Amino acid sequence: MATYQEFIQQNEDRDGVRCSWNLWPSSRLEATRLVVPVSCLYTPLKERPDLPPVQYEPVLCSRANCKAVLNPLCQVDFRAKIWACNFCFQRNSFPPSYAGISEVNQPAELMPQFSTIEYIVQRGPPTPLIFLYVVDTCLEEEDLQALKESLQMSLSLLPPNALVGLITFGRIIQVHELSCEGIAKSFVFRGTKELTPKQIQEMLGLMKPATSGQQGKPLAPHDAAASCRFLQPVEAVDMNLTDLLGELQRDPWPVPQGKRPLRSTGIALSIAIGLLEGTFPNTGARVMLFTGGPPTQGPGMVVGDELKTPIRSWHDIQKDNARHLKKATKYYEALANRAAVNGHSVDIYACALDQTGLLEIKCLSNLTGGHIVMGDSFNTSLFKQTFQRVFSKDYNGEFRMAFGGTLEVKTSRELKVSGAIGPCVSLNTKGPCVSDNEMGVGGTCQWKICSLTPATTLALYFEVVNQHNAPVPQGGRGAIQFVTQYQHSNTQRRIRVTTIARNWADAQSQIQHIESSFDQEASAVLMARLGVFKAESEEGPDVLRWLDRQLIRLFMFHLRRSPFLQVFNNSPDESSYYRHHFVRQDLTQSLIMIQPILYSYSFYGPPEPVLLDSSSILPDRILLMDTFFQLVIYHGETIAQWRKAGYQEMAEYENFKQLLQAPLDDAQEILQTRFPMPRYIDTEHGGSQARFLLSKVNPSQTHNNLYAWGQESGAPILTDDVSLQVFMDHLKKLAVSSSA
Amino acid sequence: MIRWEFCCASSPAAHVFRPLKASERLTRPLKLFLQQNLINIDLLPQFLFILFSPVSAVFRDRDELRMNVNQQPHMASPYGQPQPGYQGYPQPGYGGGHVPSGYPAQYAPYNGPGSAYQQGPPQGMRGPPTSGAPPVSGAQSYSQFGQGETQNGPPPMGAPPQRPPVSQTYTPGAVNLSGPQPPFSQQFGAPPVSMQQMTNQMASMQVGSTAPSPAGPGYAPPSVSQAAMSAPYTPAAPPSFPPTSAAPSQPPPTEAVARPPPQSYYGAPPPAQQPFPNAVPPFSSTGPTQPQAPPPVSPQSFPQAPPVSQPPFSTAQVPPGPTQSYGGPLPPTQPSFSRPLLPTSQPSTFPAGPPPTSTPSQLPGVMQPQPPVSQPSPYHSGPHPTSTGFPPQVGAPPRPPFAGMQGPPMAPQGPPLASQGPPMVQANHVPPTQPGMPPGPISASMSGPPPQPGMQGYPPQQNGAFGQVRGPQPGYTGPYPGQPNYGAPPAAPAPAPPATKRLDPDSVPSPQASDMPPVQKTRHRIDPDAIPSPIQVIEDDKANKGSEPFTTGVRGQAPPLVTTKFQVKDQGNASPRYIRCTAYNMPCNSDMAKQSQVPLAAVIKPLAPLPPDETPPYLVDHGESGPIRCNRCKAYMCPYMQFIEGGRRFQCGFCSCVTEVPPHYFQHLDHTGKRVDCYDRPELSMGSYEFMATVDYCKNNKIPQPPAFIFLIDVSYNAVKNGMVGIVCQELKTLLDYLPRENPDVESNIRVGFVTYNKVLHFYNVKASLAQPQMMVVSDVADMFVPLLDGFLVNVSESRVVIESLLDQIPEMFADTRETETVFGPVIQAGLEALKAADCAGKLFVFHSSLPIAEAPGKLKNREDKKLVGTDKEKSLFQPQVSFYNTLAKECVVQGCCVDLFLFPNQYVDVATLGVVPTSTGGSIYKYTYFQASSDQERFLNDLRRDVQKPMGFDAVMRVRTSTGIRATDFFGSFYMSNTTDVELAGLDCDKTVTVEFRHDDKLSEETGALMQCAVLYTSCSGQRRLRIHNMAVNCCSQLADLYRNCETDTVINFFAKYAYRSVLSSPIKNVRDSLVNQCAQILACYRKNCASPSSAGQLILPECMKLLPVYLNCVLKSDVLQPGADISLDDRAYLRQLVSTMDVSESHVFFYPRLLPLQKLDVESISVPVAVRDSEERLSRGGVYLLENGLNIFLWVGVNAQQELLQNIFGTPAFGQIDPNMTSLPALDNPFSKRLREIIESVRAQRSRYMKLMVVKQEDKLELIFKHFLVEDKSNNGGASYVDFLCHMHKEIRQLLS
């Protein structure tokens, strides 16, 4: 038998699932003692080049409250043409189309290797993708110019039949009509007045007089293109829109000295969502917000327009000094929920040196599966390439994005689902498998994920409900089925079904087995998500305390120091940004986020990963650190000097040149695949940017203990944080000491 | 009946008032008169009165230009003391006159004849048939009298009476008279009565129909006067006429314009006589006019009717001939007359002698006729008999009596003139019948004659006559007994109500009269020619004042009328183009003011355009410290500032405060105390000038930005469909090159912006850098805002390409719109917000089509409810239905946002509400109901062009400062006031007028007069802040007579109209009308009581300057706002109401009294325009073509019998039937007539601030109804009184006040 390592890897490759435990304790009590809950990370749209979708509908269990999909775990009576649902044990007959099945002629969904299978279903007319650009015009001229170019470029990346729309905002909001010839036409809204969706639709002229008896022309049945002049196929308005973007002016309203420009982000988003909601409900659509600063007026404003009032900091928030925080957050949450209900997602591209109010706005993306990209300027490659990557295509030449997903979880009787953490909202579907004990977004067995990428990963938490006195039969298996319905980027409706099963184990007798089935990485990420989720919703110190209590038995030193939980030295926006990405990336990426990877390049051998420790910082090394958000190349002191001296230019030092090039190449590789594009930093010893590295490494050497350690050690870190050694010492002490 | 006596002089009181002035002139005529007439001592007083009155009248006339409709003098004197005194004097006549009761009996008969007579002329028309039954005619006249108006007719009678006196005086005075005198005396003997009767009749006519009769009686004694009259006439007639023709001629032509003649006459007594004749003619003319067709008949009828009378009538008719000549002036009349009587002669006469000549000629004619009429004698005799005979007749129809009266008078006149005084009187009477005309003429004539013996003689008669037309009759008959009746009759007549009043009058004279069919009464009772004629007044003023420049240096001097073309020289007071006052002599204290009830108001048009030959106000720059001002009241430096202490200080003329002269402004004084640089500085020597304002005068102490124009165009279905959108857009492309600018060589600084809207608004970004305009739709109309700043307001030349592209595309974009709903409030808000955002003042041009029913602020509902009309709730229809617009207007004013509204409604749009903002911001409303591109495009485009191009100021504040003693208390116009003194005008263009009412808060001094300074602070179209100052000084008077002598009726009417039109917002319309009539009556009664010579109460005496007050007031009363017809919409009324509020005097004048030009008289060789005719259907000849304009419309009326040649010249077709009534412009034909006509139309249009669409109205076409609406002297379909009727009503009111 393969090792657990291999088993886990295999499972992940096939199903996109990583479980915290790969053997499940058979009773509730035992499960509770394990601290780390039975849970898993699930990547619904994990790329499976080897998995061709089948062109028919799934077969469902006929029990009304089960509706599980036929899967390899089902008992099948080929003669009677009957199958038994492995979740509710209902016996179902196959539909007529399955008349020809037999042991040798099984449908794909019954084969073990198709524990994950994708169906293409025909439901209604295909709806094109919709991209609605919401563009802030209160930008610096060059920023705006760069943004305009990016947007124009993006048009060429869109599929020709995709619908595209443009809303610009500043002090006022303009919804551009794209269908008109000659005069560029736009509908304008003021940024200070909250409008109901109905008002918005009325004002945009989207309310069709249902009974208008225009003779001659029978009302075209909700002709999408006709009913909405604001969303038009790219192929039709390509030129128009390019011109329009080209003529986009900076917000013309004068900004007096000492003021921020008036930016009506709140209303602009409200209108964008209202517009989609009125025209294309339940259709995949992306609202892409490009903003260069915080909302400063109207509902959803984050900070006033007085420059003398700085935007809220964590300090302000803790002191309850952030005037607009609650109101704005509430406003955006309401918006996010509206968007989510209709399956529309919101991306946020915020590029500014200062905060842009992500903290308040983030829920729009968090709840709808949209992207958040944070940069310093639209005129940076970070933004440009990230934005470009949004439209990247997979091996089939199709967008790596899916819309309007619904994830349903079904469990066998011994399990119930407690909740999910990820870019999803609850659909509030009660069912037999819903646990009362909520973890993350719970109370439901269905979640809406408005936008998915192949990397989108949810954490799902389960509760073992089997009572101790009702043991599971030996060899029994618990099963979980994930049913994800979504709109593929080629506008097909698809359903992906993943069914997994794990053995039950009696904790008392098989504790060793259970221990060995523990997936440390997955658990770390799962717990981290729980922590982040709590951090989002609860007071900061409390979360740390909870984490300490929960993680005391795990070494999650780095997580504790990570920006996901630590707000020190991070703005609220940054925290939001980091957390946003943390709760949606897959396991590998999540791990990188928790514990950055550090590679060392030297003449002494091939590149090697080294400890994320200050002791790794040596003069004759080049270090490459990947924190997910940043990619830092650090040249040691000596290397830096050599480089300065220009040895790499000399033929005889070709090797040095190669050494210098190696980390660059590796970095490039990471940059190619990473979304969002990490901040790329090339620095050296003593460089100001070196702080990115220094802040991450374990401060094993600080100004406090500099001389206690040997001379050769790396660079000292000026910090009061405890080092890993201290942390571990303390941990050990606690672990050994009597149960406190 | 109504006499045009110069009221002033007539009353003894007047003499008292101005004893010295009159004395000299009086003495001689008096003596002469006495000598010649061998007057009884007993009678002397009367004569004195008479004499005085005429004389005074003369004076006053000249001074005051007063015209008494009636010969007030006569009436007055007799009446004043009359009853007692008169009775004594004219015992019979007066007594009779006064006492209606007397009349009935004796007079009745007289009346009968009189009425017959009167009717004769008027009825003559009807006459033909009537002739058979003169009584009927009489009845009619009576009825008229009863109605009051009809009776006005009688007043003319009065005139005759006046004449007698005049004749008397004249006789003495005038050479002619001398000749005549003898006859007079003789005539007097007999005629007197007739004379009196005549006068009485006249009076009665004027007063009430009945009145005359009493007068008659009274006059009877006056018979002397009659004699005089007759005498003068007879003699005068021939000789005098010629002269008359010379001098009076003018007057007569005008309209039997009594006044002018009078003046002239006064000037030269002899001429006066002429006037008489003239007067007579007028009367006759009236007669003719009415009769035109029938004239001949009428004469016949007359003759027939009363045998006795007949002769007179015939004579009368003969006179009519002359009258016709007067009528001559009135085309129709002439012809008719000419035919019957002396067509040729008349015409010839007319042509020969210009209008005046005509009259003279006529007169001569008349004279002749009269003489021949020797019938007069018959008359006299006849009269009596007639009277008696008539009485019965009369009895039947009250009028008959009158008619009889008149008739007799007429006859008498005819005869008198010819043979005896009485005939003359009659003649006069006849004219009186024509009252309207006659009064003027008569008075004039009277005056004319009066100067001569006739005049004097007449006055009394007139008085008597006025008092009671019947008077004369009674007198005739012997009538005195009748006199009492007369007295009564007058009263009766006074009561306008046709039926009852008539009855009354009739009853007095003869109950029968009352029985007379009202209809008959209605018209012909009073000779319209005998009542004051606006045309005559206008023409006289042109003749007298049009030739010389008007210099403003003389304080208290009334300027020429608005209808007169004149040049102004600014010598220290503002030009009348800027400021016109109701009174140029203000009462010294509030008691006087209250007593007189004459409104004290100034009509100010601060930016009025000047003709090219006048210099625009100089621009004065006092440098950084700004204009020099009084420390206390802040009045600006002006010619009224008195420099003292060697020039180191100046004393304010307004508040007397002494202020230091700033060093840089110091200048030495010359020996007269004037600064030596006085004439170098406009602010020290001119009435109007401008100051450069400093930054202190700017909003927020910031130099203003150049203003902006924003065009807001409705693009809803209706607006697109009727073509408005296309037209506006097309026009704007060129129009934008003509934005106002101060220097024609420089581009305009004004920026422009464009918005279209239906139920949402579309803003356009037309920034020069754009390849295509950008449209921004604001659908959040509930909370309007401006979506863009940069690119919305642009410089035309910079963004021309984009703008043109936009204007090309707008019509296309909305060509297929199906949106029918519109908003309105948000549209203005949008413009306002745009101006706010740009921080500038400006003007919005809103092109709007329908009631704003879309959901938005300012949404309106259709509340048109005709059932409310005439109820107490009617006022609510003029009030805005929501308060939203008031608030909005206030905001607009604060920002300096002026709104001009162009409406293109197909149905009710609630102008009353939509107009709130324009009228509060100094904007205008233009309304094109049922707009059709084909027919209304030209009018709209011309209006638009003018509206865009006209010079204007922005963000203006006007303050009127006055010298201590008076205070500006009330303001009328299109503006907003946030406090009681500052008139805030978001925009002030060159057409906008503000009427300011003043009231006393202290006493004024005669020495210093009253000063007012109107300062307007505004931003010029180039963005310069300026102050325009207009200074005005008027005299102060302690004598009411001075007040009445120096006032201006047109301005008073302007004030009244604005006052009334505003009052309809708060009071039931009936109350408004009543109070107008009441105030007017008080004004006239006050005059009568305090200034006019005492005369019988039955006599209507009007101040010369206000003799047109009744006719104009009637026009105001019957205007669509105050007396709506069934076919007039609420919108139209609201529209007119708002329109009038900003009219200047000239506009309001022509609006209320449209100009009617007889085109068949057009002289293609001359550059002059034909003399207008009065607005009455009777003046229209079926063979003529007329042009009527009222400032809003032009009508071309084509008579069915118009000459083919004329039609060919105008329309290019000789056939009446082929004229297309839908044409809106005349074909450009290559003949002098067509060219000249089109020139005239163009020039008329050029005079008005709004383009007038031409409508061709064919006689007897259905469109003619509309046209007739503008014939304001006629009874209107709405129930509006005819001039004659109203005059009678007015008289009744006055009499009630006096009693």
Side-chain angles (χ1 to χ4, degrees), chain A residues 457-468:
Chain A
T457 301
L458 280 80
L460 291 151
Y461 300 87
F462 302 91
E463 184 183 22
V464 177
V465 292
N466 199 35
Q467 294 303 316
H468 186 60

Side-chain angles (χ1 to χ4, degrees), chain B residues 723-1004:
Chain B
M724 179 273 278
V725 174
I727 293 172
V728 171
C729 292
Q730 184 59 34
E731 179 63 21
L732 283 182
K733 282 196 273 184
T734 47
L735 192 52
L736 292 179
D737 289 331
Y738 298 97
L739 297 179
R741 63 196 79 182
E742 254 153 323
N743 181 346
D745 303 330
V746 183
E747 261 179 29
S748 175
N749 286 334
I750 294 178
R751 290 172 294 167
V752 296
F754 303 89
V755 173
T756 58
Y757 66 92
N758 37 49
K759 73 181 192 188
V760 298
L761 277 80
H762 319 115
F763 291 78
Y764 294 94
N765 185 344
V766 284
K767 199 174 178 179
S769 59
L770 294 176
Q772 277 287 327
Q774 291 178 349
M775 173 201 235
M776 306 178 85
V777 184
V778 174
S779 20
D780 184 8
V781 289
D783 201 0
M784 193 34 72
F785 64 98
V786 183
L788 75 172
L789 185 58
D790 192 22
F792 180 63
L793 294 179
V794 296
N795 183 301
V796 174
S797 60
E798 286 171 9
S799 291
R800 175 175 309 281
V801 178
V802 191
I803 291 176
E804 289 197 352
S805 161
L806 171 67
L807 293 172
D808 280 336
Q809 290 186 55
I810 287 177
E812 287 172 27
M813 271 193 293
F814 298 100
D816 301 323
T817 185
R818 290 184 172 274
E819 184 58 70
T820 54
E821 293 189 355
T822 56
V823 295
F824 185 72
V827 177
I828 293 177
Q829 282 177 325
L832 171 62
E833 293 299 323
L835 294 180
K836 267 187 194 166
D839 193 24
C840 67
K843 185 160 165 178
L844 312 184
F845 297 81
V846 183
F847 304 89
H848 189 78
S849 72
S850 58
L851 191 68
I853 53 171
E855 197 56 55
K859 170 184 174 180
L860 301 180
K861 56 179 190 290
N862 189 335
R863 57 163 178 171
E864 184 175 35
D865 184 0
K866 289 231 166 162
K867 275 180 293 205
L868 291 183
V869 172
T871 69
D872 283 357
K873 286 184 179 166
E874 185 174 3
K875 63 188 178 195
S876 68
L877 300 175
F878 292 106
Q879 297 163 347
Q881 61 171 289
V882 291
S883 63
F884 169 82
Y885 292 101
N886 299 74
T887 318
L888 181 57
K890 203 193 270 183
E891 291 170 21
C892 286
V893 171
V894 170
Q895 182 58 38
C897 168
C898 169
V899 179
D900 274 2
L901 179 58
F902 294 79
L903 288 170
F904 304 84
N906 284 333
Q907 53 193 6
Y908 181 69
V909 291
D910 201 345
V911 174
T913 307
L914 298 190
V916 168
V917 177
T919 52
S920 305
T921 58
S924 312
I925 305 173
Y926 298 84
K927 184 159 163 285
Y928 308 93
T929 312
Y930 305 120
F931 181 82
Q932 283 184 322
S934 56
S935 56
D936 299 306
Q937 175 172 6
E938 198 184 357
R939 177 163 71 110
F940 165 55
L941 287 183
N942 279 285
D943 283 346
L944 176 60
R945 284 174 197 143
R946 184 174 152 81
D947 197 51
V948 168
Q949 296 176 26
K950 67 185 167 190
M952 68 177 294
F954 300 87
D955 204 7
V957 182
M958 178 176 124
R959 163 83 71 103
V960 178
R961 293 183 172 79
T962 50
S963 50
T964 314
I966 53 167
R967 197 158 46 86
T969 54
D970 209 349
F971 301 84
F972 303 83
S974 170
F975 52 74
Y976 176 80
M977 294 187 75
S978 55
N979 55 38
T980 55
T981 53
D982 292 340
V983 177
E984 297 175 39
L985 298 125
L988 172 61
D989 64 49
C990 64
D991 295 327
K992 289 291 175 297
T993 308
V994 177
T995 295
V996 185
E997 188 187 11
F998 301 99
R999 285 189 197 277
H1000 287 81
D1001 56 4
D1002 204 346
K1003 280 185 181 161
L1004 291 166

